Amino acid sequence: MITLDCRGQKCPLPIIKLAKAMPGVAIGEIVRVLADDPAAANDIPAWCRLKGQEFVAGHGQRFDVRRVI
């Protein structure tokens, strides 16, 4: 599992960081994004839908994304 600490960053920075990390992530691997911007709760699942990735879970300030493609 890869963890991206995006706490203290306003959107779209957590999404940009997630997008830049994805090419280095193996298919099936999970990326955990730590983000305290309230917009992340909507933005990360929306990004997953747009990019064909799997939004696994979101709990508080923790969001798990599985690389699918």
Side-chain angles (χ1 to χ4, degrees), residues 5 19 22 35 39 41 60 67:
D5 188 352
M22 274 300 177
R67 181 167 182 207

Side-chain angles (χ1 to χ4, degrees), residues 19-42:
K20 285 184 178 181
M22 274 300 177
V25 175
I27 291 176
E29 190 172 3
I30 291 179
V31 177
R32 176 164 287 164
V33 181
L34 304 176
D36 54 6
D37 183 350
N42 293 320

Side-chain angles (χ1 to χ4, degrees), residues 35-61:
D36 54 6
D37 183 350
N42 293 320
D43 290 350
I44 293 173
W47 181 86
C48 290
R49 284 190 302 275
L50 288 171
K51 298 299 182 180
Q53 306 301 347
E54 179 185 354
F55 180 72
V56 178
H59 302 285
Q61 297 179 359

